[in-house]
Amino acid sequence: MAELGKKYCVYCLAEVSPLRFRCTECQDIELCPECFSAGAEIGHHRRYHGYQLVDGGRFTLWGPEAEGGWTSREEQLLLDAIEQFGFGNWEDMAAHVGASRTPQEVMEHYVSMYIHGNLGRACIPDTIPNRVTDHTCPGGGPLSPSLTTPLPPLDISVAEQQQLGYMPLRDDYEIEYDQDAETLISGLSVNYDDEDVEIELKRAHVDMYVRKLRERQRRKNIARDYNLVPAFLGKDKKDKERPAKRKVTKEEKELRLKLRPLYQFMSCKEFDDLFEGMHKEKMLRAKIRELQRYRRNGITKLEESAEYEAARHKREKRKENKSAAGAKRGKEDGKDSEFAAIENLPGFELLSDREKVLCSSLNLSPARYVTVKTIIIKDHLQKRQGIPSKSRLPSYLDKVLKKRILNFLTESGWISRDAS
C-alpha cells in the first residue's frame, strides 16, 4: 500500500509528490512528467484531455546540477520580483524572494540563467528591433567622430595657409566642397504641430546634408593620403622623407596619369602596391622569356648562360660593326641610304632604281623579287600564246605583295593591263 502523504504516477508508479500532472476530465489520474510528455493513456484517460500542474514547490527548474539549488517556488518569486521592481533593484528582489537569498545571489542567478543561459540565448535576439541608435558611435551616424573630429592640421606656413584659405585649428578651408551645403539645414526647426510629411522632408534634408559632409571629408582624406597640398604648393615633403625607390619609366608615368581617377577608390599605399605588382609581373615575364630562350638554344644550366650571353653580345657587336661599315661604304659610293637594308643582298645590282624602291618599300629581297618577276612574265607570255599554265608563285607571296608587284609590272610595261 502506498505510504501516507505520498503521490504516485498511475502509469509507471513512480513517486510524483514534488511535481505531477492531474487530468481535469478523469478522476484520480495523476501522471509524472515523463509519462505525461510521452502521451501515456490508461483507462478512459486520453492524451488530449485537459491537465493541471500540481507541485509542492520543491523541485528545481534547472536540474540538480544548477548552482544554488533554487526551487520552482523561488524561481516564480524571482520572476514576479523582476516584473515588479525592474532589472537592477536586487535588494528589493532578494527581499521578495525570501530571507534565504542575498542580493548578490539573486543577481548572479538571474544573469547566469535568464540572460546568458540557454533561455536567454533562445529568447533575446541578436539585434533588438526599435532600439535607439547611438549616432555618436565610430561606425556611422550623422554625429560619428569620423565626421566631427578634425584631422591634425597641415604642416604649412602661415603664408601658405593664407594662399589656400586654410584654417588649421578647424582643418577647414574658406571655400569648401559644395560651399552651400549648410543651407539645407540652416532654416530647419522641429515643431510639435509638424505633420508626418513635413517631418520626413526635414529628415531628407538632414540626410542630404550628412551625405555632403561625408563627401567633403572623403575629399580631404584623399588630399591628405596622396599629399596633394604640398604638391600644389611645389614642395613635396612627403616624397623627400621616403626612401629612394626604383626609377619610374615613361610608360609607367603615362599609365599612372591614365589611372588617376582610381585615386578616389584606392589609398596611396594600395595604388603604389598595384604598380609595384605590375612592375614585378613585367620583370618576371621578361625573366621567363629569357629562360625559354636559353632552353631553345640548348642551355639547361645557369652557368652556361653567362658564356652564351657573352658570345651573343660579340655576334651582335660584329653585326653592328658590319652594318656601320656597309652604311659608310654606301655613302662613300654615293648610294641612297634608303637602300641600306637590301643593298648588300644578292641580286641588288640587277634591279633598276624603281625596282630598288619597290623592294625596299615591300621589304622584299632582290632575289625573291627577281624570281616572282620571272614567273609572272613567263605566265603572261604563255597566256598570250594560248598555252594554258598554272600559277606557280612562291608561298611567301601574299595577296598584297602580288597586287603591288603586278601593278608595278603593268605600269612599267612588262605585262599588259588585261593580263594583270
Side-chain angles (χ1 to χ4, degrees):
M1 187 176 69
E3 295 183 12
L4 186 62
K6 290 186 177 182
K7 299 292 183 179
Y8 295 89
C9 176
V10 298
Y11 193 83
C12 67
L13 302 180
E15 184 183 355
V16 291
S17 299
L19 177 65
R20 58 190 181 274
F21 292 88
R22 178 183 297 166
C23 180
T24 58
E25 301 181 19
C26 302
Q27 190 177 4
D28 298 333
I29 296 295
E30 294 181 342
L31 299 173
C32 64
E34 290 78 7
C35 295
F36 175 79
S37 61
E41 296 179 349
I42 184 171
H44 297 288
H45 174 70
R46 294 294 177 263
R47 66 183 68 183
Y48 51 81
H49 285 179
Y51 66 92
Q52 180 183 5
L53 179 64
V54 181
D55 69 274
R58 299 187 301 272
F59 72 96
T60 59
L61 291 178
W62 313 106
E65 67 277 1
E67 295 182 359
W70 285 64
T71 63
S72 61
R73 189 170 299 279
E74 289 177 325
E75 299 285 357
Q76 187 175 3
L77 291 173
L78 174 62
L79 296 178
D80 292 340
I82 197 73
E83 183 178 2
Q84 180 179 355
F85 301 106
F87 183 83
N89 298 321
W90 306 115
E91 294 181 357
D92 296 336
M93 293 169 61
H96 185 79
V97 172
S100 60
R101 299 296 178 183
T102 63
Q104 183 68 21
E105 290 178 341
V106 172
M107 182 191 69
E108 292 177 354
H109 180 74
Y110 185 80
V111 171
S112 62
M113 294 300 178
Y114 291 93
I115 296 180
H116 298 307
N118 293 331
L119 185 61
R121 287 194 293 267
C123 298
I124 301 175
D126 295 334
T127 56
I128 301 176
N130 302 324
R131 190 172 186 178
V132 177
T133 304
D134 183 9
H135 292 289
T136 63
C137 59
L143 303 179
S144 173
S146 60
L147 292 178
T148 57
T149 304
L151 295 172
L154 294 173
D155 184 15
I156 54 179
S157 64
V158 178
E160 292 167 345
Q161 293 176 8
Q162 295 176 353
Q163 179 183 355
L164 294 173
Y166 177 70
M167 295 172 282
L169 297 180
R170 297 179 55 184
D171 191 39
D172 285 340
Y173 296 88
E174 292 181 1
I175 301 178
E176 292 277 0
Y177 167 76
D178 205 344
Q179 183 72 8
D180 300 330
E182 282 70 19
T183 57
L184 289 169
I185 60 170
S186 59
L188 289 183
S189 62
V190 180
N191 303 318
Y192 291 102
D193 57 348
D194 286 344
E195 297 181 357
D196 294 340
V197 176
E198 294 175 340
I199 294 175
E200 292 300 325
L201 285 174
K202 292 177 181 179
R203 288 178 178 176
H205 276 230
V206 173
D207 182 65
M208 287 188 289
Y209 175 65
V210 169
R211 290 175 183 270
K212 293 179 183 296
L213 282 184
R214 291 184 182 276
E215 178 62 21
R216 186 180 294 173
Q217 188 64 36
R218 187 183 70 87
R219 290 171 180 256
K220 288 182 181 179
N221 292 337
I222 292 176
R224 288 288 186 93
D225 191 19
Y226 285 92
N227 206 30
L228 299 182
V229 173
F232 173 77
L233 296 173
K235 54 171 189 177
D236 199 346
K237 300 178 181 178
K238 190 173 180 181
D239 287 343
K240 294 179 181 179
E241 296 174 358
R242 290 180 180 176
K245 289 188 176 182
R246 59 179 178 84
K247 185 178 180 181
V248 180
T249 61
K250 181 181 179 181
E251 293 78 8
E252 184 173 338
K253 290 181 180 179
E254 295 176 353
L255 184 59
R256 282 178 178 267
L257 291 177
K258 292 180 180 179
L259 296 181
R260 284 181 65 179
L262 293 180
Y263 284 4
Q264 56 184 325
F265 306 112
M266 304 172 65
S267 64
C268 184
K269 184 178 182 305
E270 291 174 342
F271 202 72
D272 291 340
D273 292 343
L274 171 64
F275 278 92
E276 285 296 327
M278 294 172 63
H279 176 70
K280 289 181 180 179
E281 179 188 6
K282 183 179 179 181
M283 299 300 294
L284 288 174
R285 288 181 180 274
K287 189 64 177 178
I288 290 173
R289 288 195 297 268
E290 182 181 9
L291 294 175
Q292 290 175 343
R293 179 165 55 85
Y294 289 161
R295 179 58 60 90
R296 286 194 301 269
N297 288 276
I299 298 174
T300 58
K301 296 180 180 180
L302 290 177
E303 296 81 16
E304 301 173 353
S305 63
E307 183 179 354
Y308 169 78
E309 288 294 334
R312 185 174 67 85
H313 285 307
K314 289 181 180 179
R315 289 195 303 270
E316 291 179 354
K317 192 66 176 178
R318 286 198 299 269
K319 288 182 180 179
E320 291 177 1
N321 294 336
K322 185 176 180 181
S323 300
K328 185 177 180 180
R329 186 170 58 253
K331 290 180 180 179
E332 292 175 354
D333 295 341
K335 296 181 179 179
D336 197 347
S337 60
E338 64 176 334
F339 305 142
I342 61 173
E343 63 184 358
N344 295 323
L345 299 177
F348 178 77
E349 66 278 358
L350 301 176
L351 303 180
S352 63
D353 293 339
R354 293 186 61 195
E355 288 176 331
K356 292 176 182 179
V357 174
L358 177 66
C359 292
S360 178
S361 62
L362 297 179
N363 197 18
L364 189 66
S365 64
R368 288 189 173 185
Y369 168 74
V370 172
T371 302
V372 174
K373 176 183 176 183
T374 304
I375 294 173
I376 292 175
I377 295 176
K378 187 176 181 180
D379 291 344
H380 172 64
L381 293 176
Q382 288 180 351
K383 286 181 181 180
R384 291 189 62 179
Q385 296 175 3
I387 302 174
S389 61
K390 295 182 180 180
S391 178
R392 303 185 302 273
L393 293 175
S395 58
Y396 57 80
L397 191 68
D398 56 13
K399 292 182 179 180
V400 177
L401 291 177
K402 179 181 177 181
K403 186 176 180 180
R404 292 278 302 274
I405 294 174
L406 284 174
N407 292 336
F408 174 78
L409 295 178
T410 302
E411 293 174 358
S412 301
W414 291 97
I415 59 177
S416 60
R417 293 187 176 275
D418 56 351
S420 62

